[in-house]
Coordinates of all heavy atoms in Angstrom, one line a residue:
M1 N 40.0 28.7 -26.1 CA 39.6 28.5 -24.7 C 39.3 29.8 -24.0 O 38.3 30.0 -23.4 CB 40.6 27.7 -23.9 CG 40.2 27.4 -22.5 SD 41.4 26.4 -21.6 CE 42.6 27.7 -21.2
L2 N 40.2 30.8 -24.2 CA 40.0 32.1 -23.6 C 38.8 32.8 -24.2 O 38.0 33.4 -23.4 CB 41.2 33.0 -23.9 CG 42.5 32.7 -23.0 CD1 43.6 33.6 -23.5 CD2 42.2 32.9 -21.6
L3 N 38.6 32.7 -25.5 CA 37.4 33.3 -26.1 C 36.1 32.7 -25.5 O 35.2 33.4 -25.2 CB 37.5 33.2 -27.6 CG 36.4 33.9 -28.4 CD1 36.3 35.3 -28.1 CD2 36.6 33.6 -29.9
G4 N 36.1 31.4 -25.4 CA 34.9 30.7 -24.9 C 34.6 31.1 -23.4 O 33.5 31.4 -23.0
R5 N 35.7 31.2 -22.6 CA 35.5 31.6 -21.2 C 35.1 33.0 -21.1 O 34.3 33.4 -20.2 CB 36.8 31.3 -20.5 CG 37.0 29.8 -20.3 CD 38.0 29.4 -19.3 NE 38.1 28.0 -19.2 CZ 38.9 27.3 -18.5 NH1 39.8 28.0 -17.8 NH2 38.9 26.0 -18.5
A6 N 35.6 33.9 -22.0 CA 35.2 35.3 -21.9 C 33.8 35.5 -22.3 O 33.1 36.2 -21.6 CB 36.1 36.1 -22.8
L7 N 33.3 34.8 -23.3 CA 31.9 34.8 -23.7 C 31.0 34.3 -22.6 O 30.0 34.9 -22.3 CB 31.7 34.0 -25.0 CG 32.3 34.6 -26.3 CD1 32.1 33.6 -27.4 CD2 31.6 35.9 -26.6
N8 N 31.5 33.2 -21.9 CA 30.7 32.7 -20.9 C 30.7 33.6 -19.6 O 29.6 33.8 -19.0 CB 31.2 31.3 -20.5 CG 30.3 30.5 -19.6 OD1 29.1 30.7 -19.7 ND2 30.8 29.7 -18.8
A9 N 31.8 34.1 -19.3 CA 31.9 34.9 -18.1 C 31.1 36.2 -18.2 O 30.5 36.7 -17.3 CB 33.3 35.3 -17.8
C10 N 31.1 36.8 -19.4 CA 30.4 38.1 -19.6 C 29.0 37.8 -20.1 O 28.3 38.8 -20.4 CB 31.1 38.9 -20.6 SG 32.7 39.5 -19.9
D11 N 28.5 36.6 -20.2 CA 27.2 36.3 -20.7 C 26.9 37.0 -22.0 O 25.9 37.6 -22.2 CB 26.1 36.6 -19.6 CG 24.8 36.0 -19.9 OD1 24.8 34.9 -20.5 OD2 23.8 36.5 -19.5
A12 N 27.9 36.8 -22.9 CA 27.8 37.5 -24.2 C 27.4 36.5 -25.3 O 27.5 35.3 -25.1 CB 29.1 38.2 -24.5
G13 N 27.1 37.0 -26.5 CA 26.7 36.2 -27.6 C 25.2 35.9 -27.6 O 24.5 36.4 -26.8
V14 N 24.9 35.0 -28.5 CA 23.5 34.6 -28.6 C 23.0 33.7 -27.5 O 22.1 34.0 -26.8 CB 23.2 33.9 -30.0 CG1 21.8 33.6 -30.2 CG2 23.7 34.8 -31.1
S15 N 23.7 32.6 -27.4 CA 23.4 31.6 -26.3 C 24.6 30.7 -26.2 O 25.5 30.7 -27.1 CB 22.1 30.8 -26.6 OG 22.3 30.0 -27.7
N16 N 24.6 29.9 -25.1 CA 25.8 29.0 -25.0 C 25.9 28.0 -26.1 O 27.0 27.7 -26.6 CB 25.7 28.3 -23.7 CG 26.1 29.1 -22.5 OD1 26.8 30.1 -22.7 ND2 25.7 28.8 -21.3
A17 N 24.7 27.5 -26.6 CA 24.7 26.6 -27.7 C 25.3 27.2 -29.0 O 26.1 26.7 -29.7 CB 23.3 26.0 -27.9
A18 N 24.8 28.4 -29.3 CA 25.3 29.1 -30.5 C 26.7 29.5 -30.4 O 27.5 29.4 -31.3 CB 24.4 30.4 -30.7
N19 N 27.2 30.0 -29.2 CA 28.6 30.3 -29.0 C 29.4 29.1 -29.2 O 30.5 29.1 -29.8 CB 28.8 30.9 -27.6 CG 28.1 32.3 -27.5 OD1 27.8 32.9 -28.5 ND2 28.0 32.7 -26.3
S20 N 29.0 27.9 -28.6 CA 29.8 26.7 -28.7 C 29.9 26.2 -30.1 O 30.9 25.8 -30.6 CB 29.2 25.6 -27.8 OG 29.2 26.0 -26.5
T21 N 28.8 26.3 -30.8 CA 28.7 25.9 -32.2 C 29.7 26.7 -33.1 O 30.5 26.2 -33.9 CB 27.3 26.0 -32.8 OG1 26.5 25.2 -32.0 CG2 27.3 25.5 -34.2
F22 N 29.7 28.0 -32.9 CA 30.6 28.9 -33.6 C 32.0 28.5 -33.3 O 32.9 28.4 -34.2 CB 30.3 30.4 -33.1 CG 31.4 31.3 -33.5 CD1 31.6 31.7 -34.8 CD2 32.3 31.8 -32.5 CE1 32.7 32.5 -35.2 CE2 33.3 32.7 -32.9 CZ 33.5 33.0 -34.2
L23 N 32.4 28.3 -32.0 CA 33.7 28.0 -31.6 C 34.2 26.7 -32.2 O 35.3 26.5 -32.7 CB 33.9 28.1 -30.1 CG 33.8 29.4 -29.5 CD1 33.8 29.3 -27.9 CD2 35.0 30.3 -29.9
L24 N 33.3 25.7 -32.0 CA 33.7 24.3 -32.4 C 33.8 24.1 -33.9 O 34.7 23.5 -34.4 CB 32.8 23.3 -31.8 CG 32.9 23.0 -30.4 CD1 31.8 22.1 -29.9 CD2 34.3 22.4 -30.1
F25 N 32.8 24.6 -34.7 CA 32.7 24.3 -36.1 C 33.2 25.3 -37.0 O 33.5 25.0 -38.2 CB 31.3 23.9 -36.4 CG 30.8 22.7 -35.7 CD1 29.8 22.8 -34.7 CD2 31.4 21.5 -35.9 CE1 29.4 21.7 -34.1 CE2 30.9 20.3 -35.3 CZ 29.9 20.4 -34.3
L26 N 33.4 26.6 -36.6 CA 33.9 27.6 -37.4 C 35.2 28.2 -37.0 O 36.2 28.2 -37.7 CB 32.9 28.7 -37.5 CG 31.5 28.4 -38.2 CD1 30.6 29.6 -38.1 CD2 31.8 28.0 -39.6
F27 N 35.3 28.6 -35.7 CA 36.5 29.3 -35.3 C 37.7 28.4 -35.1 O 38.8 28.7 -35.6 CB 36.1 30.0 -33.9 CG 37.3 30.7 -33.3 CD1 37.6 32.0 -33.9 CD2 38.0 30.3 -32.3 CE1 38.7 32.7 -33.4 CE2 39.0 31.0 -31.7 CZ 39.4 32.2 -32.3
I28 N 37.5 27.3 -34.4 CA 38.7 26.4 -34.2 C 39.3 25.8 -35.5 O 40.5 25.9 -35.7 CB 38.3 25.3 -33.2 CG1 38.1 26.0 -31.8 CG2 39.4 24.3 -33.1 CD1 37.6 25.0 -30.7
P29 N 38.5 25.3 -36.4 CA 39.1 24.8 -37.7 C 39.8 25.9 -38.5 O 40.9 25.7 -39.0 CB 37.9 24.3 -38.5 CG 36.9 23.9 -37.5 CD 37.1 24.9 -36.4
C30 N 39.2 27.1 -38.5 CA 39.9 28.2 -39.2 C 41.2 28.6 -38.5 O 42.2 28.9 -39.1 CB 38.9 29.4 -39.3 SG 37.6 29.2 -40.4
L31 N 41.2 28.6 -37.1 CA 42.4 28.9 -36.4 C 43.5 27.9 -36.7 O 44.6 28.2 -36.9 CB 42.1 29.0 -34.9 CG 43.2 29.5 -34.0 CD1 43.7 30.9 -34.4 CD2 42.8 29.4 -32.6
W32 N 43.1 26.6 -36.7 CA 44.0 25.6 -37.0 C 44.6 25.7 -38.4 O 45.8 25.5 -38.6 CB 43.4 24.2 -36.9 CG 43.4 23.6 -35.6 CD1 42.4 23.6 -34.7 CD2 44.6 23.0 -34.9 NE1 42.9 23.0 -33.5 CE2 44.2 22.6 -33.6 CE3 45.9 22.8 -35.3 CZ2 45.0 22.0 -32.7 CZ3 46.7 22.2 -34.4 CH2 46.3 21.8 -33.1
A33 N 43.8 26.1 -39.4 CA 44.3 26.3 -40.8 C 45.3 27.5 -40.8 O 46.4 27.4 -41.4 CB 43.1 26.6 -41.7
V34 N 45.0 28.6 -40.1 CA 45.9 29.7 -40.1 C 47.2 29.3 -39.4 O 48.3 29.7 -39.8 CB 45.2 30.9 -39.5 CG1 46.2 32.0 -39.2 CG2 44.1 31.4 -40.3
L35 N 47.1 28.6 -38.3 CA 48.3 28.2 -37.6 C 49.1 27.2 -38.4 O 50.4 27.3 -38.4 CB 47.9 27.6 -36.2 CG 47.4 28.5 -35.2 CD1 46.9 27.7 -33.9 CD2 48.5 29.5 -34.8
L36 N 48.5 26.3 -39.1 CA 49.2 25.4 -40.0 C 50.0 26.2 -41.1 O 51.2 25.9 -41.4 CB 48.3 24.4 -40.6 CG 49.0 23.4 -41.6 CD1 49.9 22.5 -40.8 CD2 47.9 22.6 -42.3
L37 N 49.3 27.2 -41.7 CA 50.0 28.0 -42.7 C 51.2 28.8 -42.0 O 52.2 29.0 -42.6 CB 49.0 29.0 -43.3 CG 48.0 28.4 -44.3 CD1 47.0 29.4 -44.7 CD2 48.7 27.8 -45.5
G38 N 51.0 29.3 -40.8 CA 52.1 30.0 -40.1 C 53.2 29.0 -39.8 O 54.4 29.4 -40.0
W39 N 52.9 27.8 -39.4 CA 53.9 26.8 -39.2 C 54.8 26.5 -40.4 O 56.0 26.5 -40.4 CB 53.2 25.5 -38.7 CG 54.1 24.4 -38.4 CD1 54.7 23.5 -39.3 CD2 54.7 24.0 -37.1 NE1 55.5 22.6 -38.6 CE2 55.5 22.9 -37.3 CE3 54.6 24.6 -35.8 CZ2 56.2 22.3 -36.3 CZ3 55.2 24.0 -34.8 CH2 56.0 22.9 -35.0
V40 N 54.1 26.3 -41.5 CA 54.8 26.0 -42.8 C 55.6 27.2 -43.2 O 56.8 27.1 -43.7 CB 53.8 25.6 -43.9 CG1 54.4 25.5 -45.2 CG2 53.1 24.3 -43.5
T41 N 55.1 28.4 -43.1 CA 55.8 29.6 -43.5 C 57.0 29.8 -42.7 O 58.1 30.1 -43.2 CB 54.8 30.8 -43.4 OG1 53.7 30.6 -44.2 CG2 55.5 32.1 -43.9
V42 N 56.9 29.7 -41.4 CA 58.0 29.9 -40.5 C 59.1 28.9 -40.7 O 60.3 29.1 -40.8 CB 57.6 29.9 -39.0 CG1 58.8 29.8 -38.1 CG2 56.8 31.2 -38.7
G43 N 58.6 27.6 -40.9 CA 59.6 26.5 -41.2 C 60.3 26.8 -42.5 O 61.5 26.5 -42.7
A44 N 59.6 27.3 -43.6 CA 60.3 27.5 -44.8 C 61.2 28.7 -44.8 O 62.3 28.7 -45.4 CB 59.2 27.8 -45.9
L45 N 60.9 29.7 -44.0 CA 61.7 30.9 -43.9 C 63.0 30.7 -43.0 O 64.0 31.2 -43.3 CB 60.9 32.1 -43.4 CG 59.9 32.7 -44.3 CD1 59.1 33.7 -43.6 CD2 60.5 33.2 -45.6
L46 N 62.8 29.9 -41.9 CA 63.9 29.8 -41.0 C 64.7 28.5 -41.2 O 65.8 28.4 -40.6 CB 63.4 29.8 -39.5 CG 62.7 31.1 -39.1 CD1 62.2 31.0 -37.7 CD2 63.7 32.3 -39.2
G47 N 64.2 27.6 -41.9 CA 65.0 26.4 -42.2 C 65.2 25.5 -40.9 O 64.3 25.4 -40.1
N48 N 66.4 25.0 -40.8 CA 66.7 24.0 -39.7 C 67.4 24.7 -38.5 O 68.5 24.4 -38.2 CB 67.5 22.9 -40.3 CG 67.6 21.7 -39.3 OD1 66.8 21.6 -38.4 ND2 68.6 20.8 -39.5
R49 N 66.7 25.6 -37.9 CA 67.2 26.3 -36.7 C 66.1 26.1 -35.6 O 65.2 26.9 -35.4 CB 67.4 27.8 -36.9 CG 68.5 28.0 -37.9 CD 68.7 29.5 -38.1 NE 69.3 29.7 -39.4 CZ 68.9 30.7 -40.2 NH1 68.0 31.5 -39.9 NH2 69.5 30.8 -41.4
P50 N 66.2 25.0 -34.8 CA 65.1 24.6 -33.9 C 64.7 25.7 -32.8 O 63.6 25.9 -32.6 CB 65.6 23.4 -33.2 CG 66.8 22.9 -33.9 CD 67.3 24.1 -34.7
L51 N 65.7 26.3 -32.2 CA 65.4 27.3 -31.2 C 64.7 28.5 -31.8 O 63.7 29.0 -31.3 CB 66.6 27.7 -30.4 CG 67.1 26.7 -29.4 CD1 68.4 27.1 -28.8 CD2 66.1 26.4 -28.4
L52 N 65.2 29.0 -32.9 CA 64.7 30.2 -33.5 C 63.3 29.8 -34.1 O 62.4 30.6 -34.0 CB 65.6 30.6 -34.7 CG 65.3 32.0 -35.3 CD1 65.3 33.1 -34.2 CD2 66.3 32.3 -36.4
H53 N 63.2 28.6 -34.6 CA 61.9 28.1 -35.1 C 60.8 28.1 -34.0 O 59.7 28.6 -34.2 CB 62.1 26.7 -35.7 CG 61.0 26.3 -36.6 ND1 60.9 25.1 -37.2 CD2 59.8 26.9 -37.0 CE1 59.9 24.9 -37.9 NE2 59.2 26.0 -37.8
A54 N 61.2 27.5 -32.9 CA 60.3 27.5 -31.7 C 59.9 28.9 -31.3 O 58.7 29.1 -31.0 CB 60.9 26.6 -30.6
L55 N 60.8 29.8 -31.2 CA 60.5 31.1 -30.7 C 59.6 31.8 -31.7 O 58.6 32.5 -31.3 CB 61.8 31.9 -30.6 CG 61.6 33.4 -30.1 CD1 61.1 33.4 -28.7 CD2 63.0 34.1 -30.2
A56 N 59.9 31.7 -33.0 CA 59.0 32.3 -34.0 C 57.6 31.8 -34.0 O 56.6 32.5 -34.1 CB 59.7 32.2 -35.4
L57 N 57.5 30.5 -33.8 CA 56.2 29.9 -33.7 C 55.4 30.3 -32.5 O 54.2 30.5 -32.5 CB 56.3 28.3 -33.8 CG 56.6 27.8 -35.1 CD1 56.9 26.3 -35.1 CD2 55.6 28.1 -36.2
A58 N 56.1 30.4 -31.3 CA 55.4 30.9 -30.1 C 54.9 32.4 -30.3 O 53.8 32.7 -29.9 CB 56.4 30.9 -29.0
V59 N 55.7 33.2 -31.0 CA 55.3 34.6 -31.2 C 54.2 34.6 -32.2 O 53.2 35.4 -32.0 CB 56.5 35.4 -31.8 CG1 56.1 36.7 -32.3 CG2 57.6 35.6 -30.7
T60 N 54.2 33.7 -33.2 CA 53.1 33.6 -34.2 C 51.8 33.2 -33.5 O 50.7 33.8 -33.7 CB 53.5 32.6 -35.3 OG1 54.7 33.1 -35.9 CG2 52.3 32.5 -36.3
L61 N 51.9 32.2 -32.6 CA 50.7 31.7 -31.9 C 50.1 32.8 -31.0 O 48.9 33.0 -31.0 CB 51.1 30.5 -31.0 CG 50.0 29.9 -30.2 CD1 48.8 29.5 -31.0 CD2 50.5 28.8 -29.3
L62 N 51.0 33.5 -30.3 CA 50.5 34.6 -29.4 C 49.9 35.7 -30.3 O 48.8 36.3 -29.9 CB 51.7 35.2 -28.6 CG 52.1 34.3 -27.5 CD1 53.4 34.9 -26.8 CD2 51.1 34.1 -26.4
A63 N 50.5 36.1 -31.4 CA 49.9 37.1 -32.2 C 48.6 36.7 -32.8 O 47.6 37.5 -32.8 CB 50.9 37.5 -33.4
L64 N 48.5 35.5 -33.3 CA 47.2 35.0 -33.8 C 46.1 34.9 -32.8 O 45.0 35.2 -33.0 CB 47.4 33.7 -34.5 CG 48.1 33.7 -35.9 CD1 48.3 32.3 -36.4 CD2 47.3 34.5 -36.9
S65 N 46.5 34.5 -31.6 CA 45.5 34.4 -30.5 C 45.0 35.8 -30.1 O 43.8 36.0 -29.9 CB 46.1 33.7 -29.3 OG 46.5 32.4 -29.6
W66 N 45.9 36.8 -30.1 CA 45.6 38.1 -29.7 C 44.6 38.7 -30.8 O 43.6 39.3 -30.5 CB 46.8 39.0 -29.6 CG 46.5 40.4 -29.2 CD1 46.4 41.5 -30.0 CD2 46.3 40.8 -27.9 NE1 46.1 42.6 -29.3 CE2 46.0 42.2 -28.0 CE3 46.3 40.2 -26.7 CZ2 45.8 43.0 -26.8 CZ3 46.0 41.0 -25.6 CH2 45.7 42.3 -25.6
C67 N 44.9 38.4 -32.1 CA 44.1 38.9 -33.2 C 42.7 38.3 -33.1 O 41.7 39.0 -33.3 CB 44.7 38.7 -34.5 SG 46.1 39.7 -34.9
A68 N 42.6 37.0 -32.8 CA 41.3 36.3 -32.7 C 40.5 36.8 -31.6 O 39.3 37.1 -31.7 CB 41.6 34.8 -32.6
L69 N 41.2 37.0 -30.4 CA 40.4 37.6 -29.3 C 40.0 39.0 -29.6 O 38.9 39.4 -29.2 CB 41.3 37.5 -28.0 CG 41.5 36.2 -27.4 CD1 42.5 36.3 -26.3 CD2 40.2 35.7 -26.8
S70 N 40.8 39.8 -30.2 CA 40.4 41.2 -30.5 C 39.2 41.2 -31.5 O 38.3 42.1 -31.3 CB 41.6 41.9 -31.2 OG 42.6 42.0 -30.2
L71 N 39.2 40.3 -32.4 CA 38.1 40.3 -33.4 C 36.7 39.9 -32.8 O 35.7 40.4 -33.1 CB 38.4 39.4 -34.6 CG 39.4 39.9 -35.6 CD1 39.8 38.9 -36.6 CD2 38.9 41.2 -36.3
F72 N 36.8 38.8 -32.0 CA 35.6 38.2 -31.5 C 35.3 38.5 -30.0 O 34.3 37.9 -29.4 CB 35.6 36.7 -31.7 CG 35.7 36.4 -33.2 CD1 36.8 35.9 -33.7 CD2 34.6 36.6 -34.0 CE1 36.9 35.6 -35.0 CE2 34.7 36.3 -35.4 CZ 35.9 35.8 -35.9
W73 N 36.1 39.4 -29.4 CA 35.8 39.7 -28.0 C 34.5 40.4 -27.8 O 34.2 41.3 -28.6 CB 37.0 40.6 -27.5 CG 37.0 40.8 -26.0 CD1 36.4 41.8 -25.3 CD2 37.8 40.1 -25.1 NE1 36.7 41.7 -24.0 CE2 37.5 40.6 -23.8 CE3 38.6 39.0 -25.2 CZ2 38.1 40.1 -22.7 CZ3 39.2 38.5 -24.0 CH2 39.0 39.1 -22.8
S74 N 33.7 40.1 -26.8 CA 32.5 40.7 -26.7 C 32.7 42.1 -26.0 O 33.6 42.3 -25.2 CB 31.5 39.9 -25.8 OG 32.1 39.7 -24.6
G75 N 31.8 43.0 -26.3 CA 31.9 44.3 -25.7 C 31.3 44.4 -24.3 O 31.3 43.4 -23.5
T76 N 30.8 45.5 -23.9 CA 30.3 45.8 -22.6 C 29.0 45.0 -22.5 O 28.1 45.1 -23.3 CB 30.0 47.3 -22.4 OG1 31.3 47.9 -22.6 CG2 29.5 47.6 -21.1
T77 N 28.8 44.3 -21.4 CA 27.6 43.6 -21.0 C 27.2 43.9 -19.6 O 28.0 44.5 -18.9 CB 27.7 42.0 -21.2 OG1 28.7 41.6 -20.3 CG2 28.1 41.7 -22.7
Y78 N 26.1 43.4 -19.2 CA 25.7 43.6 -17.8 C 26.6 43.0 -16.8 O 27.0 43.5 -15.8 CB 24.3 43.0 -17.6 CG 23.8 43.1 -16.2 CD1 23.3 44.4 -15.7 CD2 23.7 42.1 -15.3 CE1 22.9 44.5 -14.4 CE2 23.3 42.2 -14.0 CZ 22.9 43.4 -13.6 OH 22.4 43.6 -12.3
D79 N 27.1 41.7 -17.1 CA 28.0 41.0 -16.2 C 29.4 41.6 -16.3 O 30.2 41.4 -15.3 CB 28.1 39.6 -16.5 CG 26.7 38.9 -16.2 OD1 26.0 39.3 -15.3 OD2 26.4 37.9 -16.9
C80 N 29.8 42.2 -17.3 CA 31.1 42.8 -17.5 C 31.0 44.3 -18.0 O 31.1 44.6 -19.2 CB 32.0 42.0 -18.5 SG 32.2 40.3 -18.1
P81 N 30.7 45.2 -17.1 CA 30.4 46.6 -17.5 C 31.6 47.2 -18.2 O 31.5 48.1 -19.0 CB 30.1 47.3 -16.2 CG 30.2 46.4 -15.1 CD 30.6 45.0 -15.6
S82 N 32.8 46.8 -17.8 CA 34.0 47.4 -18.5 C 34.3 46.6 -19.8 O 35.2 47.0 -20.5 CB 35.2 47.3 -17.6 OG 35.6 46.0 -17.3
G83 N 33.6 45.6 -20.1 CA 33.9 44.8 -21.3 C 35.0 43.7 -21.1 O 35.4 43.0 -22.0
V84 N 35.5 43.6 -19.9 CA 36.6 42.7 -19.5 C 36.1 41.8 -18.5 O 35.6 42.2 -17.4 CB 37.8 43.5 -19.0 CG1 39.0 42.6 -18.7 CG2 38.3 44.5 -20.1
P85 N 36.3 40.5 -18.6 CA 35.9 39.5 -17.6 C 36.6 39.8 -16.3 O 37.8 40.3 -16.3 CB 36.3 38.1 -18.2 CG 36.5 38.4 -19.6 CD 36.9 39.8 -19.8
P86 N 36.0 39.4 -15.2 CA 36.7 39.7 -13.9 C 38.0 38.9 -13.7 O 38.8 39.4 -12.9 CB 35.6 39.3 -12.8 CG 34.5 38.8 -13.6 CD 34.7 38.9 -15.0
W87 N 38.1 37.8 -14.3 CA 39.3 37.0 -14.1 C 40.5 37.5 -15.0 O 41.6 37.0 -14.9 CB 39.1 35.5 -14.4 CG 38.3 35.3 -15.7 CD1 37.0 35.1 -15.8 CD2 38.9 35.2 -17.0 NE1 36.7 34.9 -17.1 CE2 37.8 34.9 -17.9 CE3 40.2 35.3 -17.5 CZ2 38.0 34.8 -19.3 CZ3 40.3 35.2 -18.9 CH2 39.3 34.9 -19.7
W88 N 40.3 38.4 -15.9 CA 41.3 38.9 -16.8 C 42.4 39.6 -16.0 O 42.1 40.5 -15.2 CB 40.8 39.8 -17.9 CG 41.7 40.1 -18.9 CD1 42.5 41.3 -19.0 CD2 42.1 39.3 -20.0 NE1 43.3 41.2 -20.1 CE2 43.1 40.1 -20.8 CE3 41.7 38.1 -20.5 CZ2 43.6 39.6 -21.9 CZ3 42.3 37.6 -21.7 CH2 43.2 38.3 -22.4
P89 N 43.7 39.2 -16.1 CA 44.8 39.9 -15.4 C 44.9 41.4 -15.7 O 44.8 41.8 -16.9 CB 46.0 39.2 -15.8 CG 45.7 38.3 -16.9 CD 44.2 38.2 -17.0
G90 N 45.0 42.2 -14.7 CA 45.0 43.6 -14.8 C 46.2 44.2 -15.5 O 46.2 45.2 -16.2
F91 N 47.3 43.4 -15.5 CA 48.6 43.9 -16.1 C 48.6 43.7 -17.6 O 49.4 44.2 -18.3 CB 49.8 43.3 -15.5 CG 49.9 41.8 -15.6 CD1 50.5 41.2 -16.7 CD2 49.3 41.0 -14.6 CE1 50.5 39.8 -16.8 CE2 49.4 39.6 -14.8 CZ 50.0 39.0 -15.9
L92 N 47.6 42.9 -18.2 CA 47.5 42.7 -19.6 C 46.4 43.6 -20.1 O 45.3 43.6 -19.6 CB 47.2 41.3 -19.9 CG 48.3 40.3 -19.7 CD1 47.8 38.8 -20.0 CD2 49.4 40.5 -20.7
P93 N 46.7 44.4 -21.2 CA 45.6 45.1 -21.8 C 44.6 44.2 -22.4 O 44.9 43.2 -23.0 CB 46.3 46.0 -22.8 CG 47.6 45.4 -23.1 CD 47.9 44.6 -21.9
A94 N 43.3 44.5 -22.3 CA 42.3 43.6 -22.8 C 42.2 43.8 -24.3 O 42.4 44.8 -24.9 CB 40.9 44.0 -22.2
P95 N 42.0 42.7 -25.0 CA 42.0 42.7 -26.5 C 40.9 43.6 -27.0 O 39.8 43.7 -26.4 CB 41.7 41.3 -26.9 CG 42.1 40.5 -25.7 CD 41.9 41.3 -24.5
G96 N 41.1 44.3 -28.1 CA 40.1 45.1 -28.7 C 40.0 46.5 -28.1 O 39.2 47.3 -28.5
F97 N 40.7 46.7 -27.0 CA 40.6 48.0 -26.3 C 41.9 48.7 -26.3 O 42.9 48.2 -26.2 CB 40.1 47.8 -24.9 CG 38.7 47.2 -24.8 CD1 38.5 45.9 -24.5 CD2 37.6 48.0 -25.1 CE1 37.3 45.3 -24.5 CE2 36.3 47.4 -25.0 CZ 36.2 46.1 -24.7

């Protein structure tokens, strides 16, 4: 969702149709596959410890989201001269920068 909104806010990518196709048919299924592998790996390593399992999965989800945003984040555009959408919180460093 963040990647789609960033592409839209900065008017980046080829076009809205091409960006949406990339997100729906390539990016999201791949992200789900990686998250499923992370889920299984964390479950196998931590066993039956629900709180630790939930914390590890939250950290895994944040790390994977950060990596995905860093890889596919658009650079400087006319609408976003700094390369960061205007709605991005200032206290968080922008991915890829």
Side-chain angles (χ1 to χ4, degrees):
M1 183 179 79
L2 285 176
L3 183 58
R5 289 194 178 175
L7 289 172
N8 191 31
C10 291
D11 197 27
V14 180
S15 66
N16 283 339
N19 293 343
S20 298
T21 303
F22 164 72
L23 290 172
L24 285 175
F25 297 113
L26 294 174
F27 181 74
I28 292 174
C30 290
L31 186 61
W32 272 102
V34 170
L35 287 173
L36 179 65
L37 288 173
W39 179 276
V40 170
T41 304
V42 167
L45 292 175
L46 296 180
N48 193 17
R49 298 180 201 137
L51 286 175
L52 192 57
H53 195 184
L55 179 66
L57 287 173
V59 168
T60 302
L61 177 62
L62 288 173
L64 286 174
S65 297
W66 184 261
C67 289
L69 282 171
S70 294
L71 286 173
F72 298 109
W73 191 272
S74 60
T76 303
T77 63
Y78 178 76
D79 293 331
C80 301
S82 65
V84 179
W87 49 262
W88 189 260
F91 62 89
L92 286 175
F97 297 102

